[in-house]
Amino acid sequence: LMSRLRTRFDMPWPNLGLVEATGYETQPKGSTVECQNVRAWEPSTGRSRGGQRAGLAKYLSARTADGKVQDMGQVVARAVPANQNEVGARTVVSYSVTNGTVAKFTTSGTTTATNGSGALSTSVPVIFSSELFGVIYFADGSSVKQYTASTNTVAAWTASSGSLPVDSGNEPRLIETWRGRIVQSGISSDPHNWYMSAVGDARNWNYAPTTETATQAVAGNNADCGKSPDIVNCMVPYSDDLLLIFGDHSIWQLTGDPMEGGRFDLISDTIGAPFGRPFCKSPEGMIYFFGSRGGVYQLVPGQKPVNISEKQIPERLNAYNADTTSVRMVWSDVERGFYVFLTPLAGGATTNYFYDVRNQSWWPDKFATAAHNPVSVHLFDGDLAADRTVLLGGQDGYIRKFDYTTPGVSDDGVAIDSLVFLGPIQLKNRPKLMLTSLQAAMATGSSDVDFAVYAAETAELAESAVSAVTAFTGVWSAGRNKIERRRALGHDIYVKIRNDDAAEGWAFEFLGIEVNSFNGPRGRQW
């Protein structure tokens, strides 16, 4: 006679995120075959219970200008505390460049800088800037401008000694601050060269003063270490001694100041990075960057880069077009991980990604409105906890933020389509299963979610909306839900949770499952 075995267990949230590098039948335990706009940690409570990601909200209601937000940043100053109730007087000035116009912004609105209207290029999709002693210096390939935050004024960036970098009328497109120097590169007609101002003086570009000093200006074409062996696509100031240079197909480390015996050391001769700032740094000093051949890498200076996406979602991050895609990355203190934004320069839909460092897991995100895909990004470092958030400069002139204090209810009024597959539910040796009961609990205050149960002869068929048999569907609400007694029959079973309604957010607590198997062992495969 055929024996029937009953098995009860809890189906956990897939904290390991999306994994597509294995077969459907061997989906790693604790991962998911498909998800979108969800996380393993709930930002509003900080608890490890899965649910919908944080939503987007306008940081300020007004548009900064008509066009793309090409750049964002902030300048921080301190003064003497006003009274005994104040630990320190910290003033933060945030600035943006939208369609070439420089402005100061707060949550209340924007103030166009004096001489800021149309001060920079309107033709380039992204502009980069860097600060030295409270003054912001821009690199857009055609303009030479600086911005003084304290007076909200844009002025010409002129040299007091020597000449600012230029070649055949082409200006730099890349700029960073390192060792108290402004560092520039990215001149289209001289892509291997790099240029550094004198230490502490962004206006001193004299490479051959009467008396040579260790602090004078220096460039690749007159330094002992020479130009970058590869074209310069990206520069990462890591520490006082290390400047990372990402090329088209290699990574070099400038070790030490070039005026004090600095040299180029090869880190990798197989992988580089796209043009711009396709990197971020964790508070612990770990570098994460997008590779020139796709994929996301982790880098400790002096060691070889490690691909942290190839074992989970290799194809997704390899299939990008470097010529038509702006790659931006930004760290999130609240979520303890980083975002990878892959924005088509011509607009249109895309998939972005979040990497959860705590779980070493990947989570795909999609914005329903293409204008929300950012051109510029910035981790805003405000005094209040609510102000320590990721800012996104949109293609429509608006600056938005991730609202971590409220469960993700919408993306600036547009519904978030969030979903996750739990499973596959399968037993060792793949006996046929009969799902006999489900009981779910959602977080207190959670919105309703739709659930669907899919069953088929294989895990691949069960996951496919075309081939799977939809055994039954229903709705789960906040708190503990009633036991669901409807049944599903198959070798592999998935439970899909989804919410695509506006002004709603949800979080998951647990899902209890009971299955019957026939002539099969009790041990679960997943």
Side-chain angles (χ1 to χ4, degrees):
L1 295 176
M2 181 178 291
S3 60
R4 177 179 296 183
L5 301 177
R6 178 174 297 176
T7 304
R8 297 184 180 91
F9 54 90
D10 285 341
M11 173 68 75
W13 182 265
N15 285 343
L16 296 184
L18 179 65
V19 175
E20 295 180 331
T22 66
Y24 287 90
E25 296 290 339
T26 56
Q27 186 74 31
K29 182 179 179 180
S31 69
T32 181
V33 69
E34 184 180 349
C35 63
Q36 176 178 289
N37 293 326
V38 293
R39 295 287 187 272
W41 294 80
E42 185 188 11
S44 61
T45 63
R47 293 184 177 274
S48 179
R49 58 178 185 183
Q52 185 173 295
R53 65 163 169 81
L56 291 180
K58 285 189 177 72
Y59 185 74
L60 62 159
S61 59
R63 190 194 306 262
T64 55
D66 185 14
K68 296 178 179 179
V69 183
Q70 299 158 295
D71 186 32
M72 287 187 296
Q74 68 183 67
V75 180
V76 180
R78 280 194 178 275
V80 177
N83 53 58
Q84 295 183 3
N85 296 323
E86 192 173 67
V87 176
R90 185 173 184 263
T91 302
V92 178
V93 177
S94 298
Y95 65 90
S96 65
V97 181
T98 306
N99 201 28
T101 293
V102 182
K104 177 174 67 175
F105 70 88
T106 66
T107 54
S108 300
T110 63
T111 304
T112 300
T114 301
N115 304 321
S117 181
L120 298 171
S121 172
T122 60
S123 61
V124 294
V126 181
I127 294 173
F128 299 108
S129 60
S130 198
E131 177 207 353
L132 184 63
F133 299 136
V135 178
I136 303 299
Y137 300 92
F138 296 102
D140 68 356
S142 59
S143 307
V144 186
K145 300 291 178 64
Q146 67 181 51
Y147 169 67
T148 303
S150 59
T151 60
N152 195 31
T153 302
V154 173
W157 179 12
T158 58
S160 60
S161 182
S163 301
L164 284 157
V166 63
D167 183 79
S168 303
N170 298 311
E171 307 285 350
R173 287 284 310 280
L174 299 172
I175 187 168
E176 302 290 347
T177 302
W178 180 61
R179 292 180 63 92
R181 300 177 182 270
I182 290 293
V183 185
Q184 295 194 86
S185 189
I187 292 181
S188 59
S189 55
D190 195 7
H192 292 262
N193 214 352
W194 50 267
Y195 313 85
M196 297 186 185
S197 73
V199 174
D201 189 351
R203 299 180 63 214
N204 186 337
W205 296 88
N206 189 351
Y207 306 123
T210 303
T211 302
E212 184 177 288
T213 67
T215 61
Q216 73 179 54
V218 62
N221 58 306
N222 66 9
D224 290 341
C225 59
K227 295 183 179 182
S228 169
D230 195 359
I231 65 173
V232 181
N233 275 346
C234 171
M235 302 182 296
V236 182
Y238 181 77
S239 69
D240 193 45
D241 279 334
L242 302 178
L243 176 69
L244 300 175
I245 303 291
F246 289 80
D248 176 74
H249 54 271
S250 63
I251 303 173
W252 295 84
Q253 176 180 291
L254 181 55
T255 307
D257 194 293
M259 285 302 298
E260 295 185 283
R263 68 183 189 276
F264 277 113
D265 297 317
L266 180 65
I267 302 299
S268 172
D269 60 359
T270 58
I271 189 72
F275 187 88
R277 281 183 182 159
F279 71 90
C280 66
K281 185 190 294 186
S282 75
E284 296 77 22
M286 190 71 68
I287 299 292
Y288 299 96
F289 71 95
F290 200 90
S292 55
R293 299 153 124 185
V296 173
Y297 291 78
Q298 175 182 292
L299 177 62
V300 177
Q303 300 180 17
K304 296 296 183 183
V306 177
N307 192 319
I308 60 173
S309 60
E310 65 177 352
K311 293 184 179 179
Q312 293 145 301
I313 52 172
E315 296 306 315
R316 283 176 172 253
L317 293 179
N318 290 342
Y320 89 107
N321 188 323
D323 288 333
T324 61
T325 305
S326 171
V327 182
R328 301 302 302 266
M329 297 173 61
V330 62
W331 178 266
S332 170
D333 285 329
V334 174
E335 295 189 81
R336 294 297 303 168
F338 59 86
Y339 287 90
V340 181
F341 296 107
L342 304 171
T343 300
L345 295 178
T350 189
T351 300
N352 304 302
Y353 297 89
F354 178 78
Y355 183 74
D356 178 350
V357 169
R358 287 174 287 196
N359 288 303
Q360 299 180 9
S361 55
W362 287 98
W363 304 91
D365 290 339
K366 287 186 178 181
F367 300 133
T369 302
H372 293 175
N373 294 314
V375 174
S376 55
V377 295
H378 176 59
L379 176 59
F380 181 61
D381 178 22
D383 288 335
L384 300 177
D387 285 336
R388 298 171 199 139
T389 185
V390 172
L391 300 184
L392 308 183
Q395 300 175 68
D396 54 1
Y398 286 101
I399 295 175
R400 297 176 176 86
K401 68 174 182 177
F402 279 106
D403 184 1
Y404 297 120
T405 60
T406 305
V409 294
S410 69
D411 282 336
D412 197 8
V414 182
I416 300 173
D417 186 2
S418 54
L419 62 92
V420 65
F421 277 71
L422 305 181
I425 302 168
Q426 53 186 203
L427 301 183
K428 290 182 178 179
N429 300 330
R430 310 297 200 277
K432 201 158 199 173
L433 308 175
M434 179 178 288
L435 177 66
T436 57
S437 74
L438 292 174
Q439 185 177 35
M442 305 299 291
T444 300
S446 172
S447 298
D448 290 353
V449 295
D450 299 318
F451 74 87
V453 176
Y454 302 102
E457 296 303 302
T458 68
E460 183 175 9
L461 292 175
E463 189 270 341
S464 170
V466 176
S467 306
V469 174
T470 306
F472 56 90
T473 61
V475 176
W476 288 327
S477 301
R480 186 183 294 268
N481 288 263
K482 294 181 179 180
I483 297 176
E484 178 63 63
R485 297 291 187 184
R486 287 178 286 178
R487 298 184 174 187
L489 184 65
H491 287 272
D492 295 88
I493 300 172
Y494 282 101
V495 178
K496 179 182 179 182
I497 304 174
R498 184 177 188 181
N499 181 299
D500 59 357
D501 297 324
E504 294 192 353
W506 57 274
F508 172 92
E509 276 289 340
F510 76 83
L511 175 61
I513 290 177
E514 180 179 282
V515 298
N516 287 342
S517 62
F518 306 93
N519 291 331
R522 291 177 182 268
R524 298 197 306 279
Q525 176 67 27
W526 60 269

